[in-house]
């Protein structure tokens, strides 16, 4: 079942922070985050596994609340290069079916 | 180390025709997933191939079929094309087991007229 992402779009100034949310009504095994720039393939950012955890690298981090089946992506001190559409992807406990959310369009302006 | 490759890059077909798209996974990966991405939408899971078998399938009709070869490369076939099949078709490769890091190819842009 397709996860629900919010917000649909965000406009930021360079240096501002953003949070993108992803939730599912199904029990999840993992949550993935991807960024896709216009005309390009999605690029993997990070994966969070069942058990609830938080991950991050550089100024991008994410958390996964297994009890609520929710994940959030945190973008700190945004840079122009962060612009793009962010997708969460979820794998449910029923093995190997993978669903992407509808995406959050992030526009970072100078 | 070659990443995921897909061919062709672009394709134009007419309604009712059949199309075959190809994907070569990243070196060391044995699993291939196919996705359809309509304009402005997130990728939709079509199916996944592992050990030359279809392991899982999304909500796509039987017009969509696939194949995986012993070298792990894969084909996506779509029969009786409809206008609504126009989309970017993405192939992702991963290394067996549960869905781990998926590496996406550049995609094939299919236009059905």
């Amino acid at each position: 079942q397709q996860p629900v992402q919010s917000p649909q779009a965000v406009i930021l100034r360079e240096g501002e922070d953003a949070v993108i949310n992803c939730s599912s009504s199904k029990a999840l095994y993992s949550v993935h985050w991807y960024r896709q720039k216009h005309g390009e393939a999605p690029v993997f950012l990070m994966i969070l596994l069942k058990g609830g955890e938080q991950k991050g690298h550089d100024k991008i981090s994410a958390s996964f609340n297994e009890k609520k089946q929710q994940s959030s992506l945190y973008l700190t001190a945004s840079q122009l290069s962060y612009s793009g559409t962010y997708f969460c992807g979820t794998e449910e406990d029923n093995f190997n079916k993978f669903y992407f959310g509808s995406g959050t369009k992030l526009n970072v302006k100078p | 180390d070659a990443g995921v490759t897909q061919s062709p890059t672009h394709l134009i077909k007419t309604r009712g025709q059949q199309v075959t798209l190809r994907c070569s996974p990243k070196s060391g990966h044995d699993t291939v997933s196919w996705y359809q991405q309509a304009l402005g939408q997130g990728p939709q899971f079509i199916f996944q191939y592992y050990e030359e078998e279809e392991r899982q399938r999304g909500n796509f009709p039987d017009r969509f079929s696939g194949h995986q070869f012993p070298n792990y490369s894969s084909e996506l076939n779509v029969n009786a094309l409809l206008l609504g099949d126009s989309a970017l078709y993405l192939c992702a490769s991963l290394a067996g087991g549960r869905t781990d890091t998926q590496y996406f190819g550049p995609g094939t842009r299919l236009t059905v007229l």
Side-chain angles (χ1 to χ4, degrees):
Chain A
Q1 184 154 357
Q2 185 179 27
V4 177
Q5 266 186 255
S6 63
Q8 287 186 317
V10 182
I11 300 175
L12 296 175
R13 293 286 180 191
E14 256 186 307
E16 291 181 339
D17 302 340
V19 180
I20 300 171
N21 300 302
C22 175
S23 65
S24 175
S25 60
K26 300 286 189 178
L28 299 177
Y29 173 77
S30 67
V31 178
H32 303 219
W33 286 96
Y34 294 81
R35 176 171 61 215
Q36 185 176 30
K37 293 188 182 275
H38 184 69
E40 299 179 9
V43 173
F44 173 82
L45 295 176
M46 64 187 78
I47 177 175
L48 301 105
L49 299 177
K50 183 176 177 178
E53 58 175 333
Q54 186 147 359
K55 274 193 175 181
H57 57 83
D58 199 12
K59 297 185 175 70
I60 300 175
S61 62
S63 62
F64 176 29
N65 185 322
E66 185 187 350
K67 288 183 181 176
K68 294 183 178 180
Q69 305 303 328
Q70 290 176 351
S71 178
S72 294
L73 183 72
Y74 306 95
L75 302 158
T76 307
S78 58
Q79 306 167 15
L80 294 177
S81 62
Y82 286 5
S83 292
T85 301
Y86 289 78
F87 293 100
C88 70
T90 56
E91 184 179 15
E92 297 170 8
D93 270 342
N94 66 346
F95 206 76
N96 297 124
K97 281 197 177 182
F98 194 81
Y99 298 96
F100 278 90
S102 55
T104 296
K105 196 169 288 188
L106 179 72
N107 187 4
V108 181
K109 296 189 173 182
Chain B
D1 176 26
V4 182
T5 60
Q6 289 187 244
S7 63
T9 308
H10 295 87
L11 206 50
I12 299 174
K13 292 284 188 179
T14 55
R15 279 179 296 174
Q17 284 190 309
Q18 177 263 343
V19 68
T20 298
L21 311 181
R22 295 176 177 82
C23 170
S24 290
K26 184 177 166 64
S27 177
H29 285 184
D30 56 8
T31 305
V32 172
S33 295
W34 285 93
Y35 294 86
Q36 179 195 66
Q37 187 175 26
L39 209 57
Q41 303 293 320
Q44 299 292 311
F45 176 74
I46 302 175
F47 42 52
Q48 184 181 84
Y49 275 85
Y50 172 67
E51 291 188 343
E52 301 180 53
E53 298 271 337
E54 183 182 289
R55 183 156 68 171
Q56 272 289 359
R57 189 179 182 91
N59 296 325
F60 279 80
D62 293 344
R63 297 186 299 108
F64 290 78
S65 63
H67 188 76
Q68 186 177 35
F69 299 94
N71 67 353
Y72 308 124
S73 66
S74 177
E75 286 182 351
L76 164 65
N77 301 293
V78 186
N79 295 322
L81 285 167
L82 304 173
L83 295 179
D85 295 332
S86 294
L88 180 68
Y89 287 85
L90 294 162
C91 161
S93 82
L94 55 155
R98 302 297 300 246
T99 301
D100 202 334
T101 304
Q102 294 188 101
Y103 292 89
F104 282 87
T108 294
R109 172 71 63 187
L110 173 65
T111 302
V112 182
L113 302 175

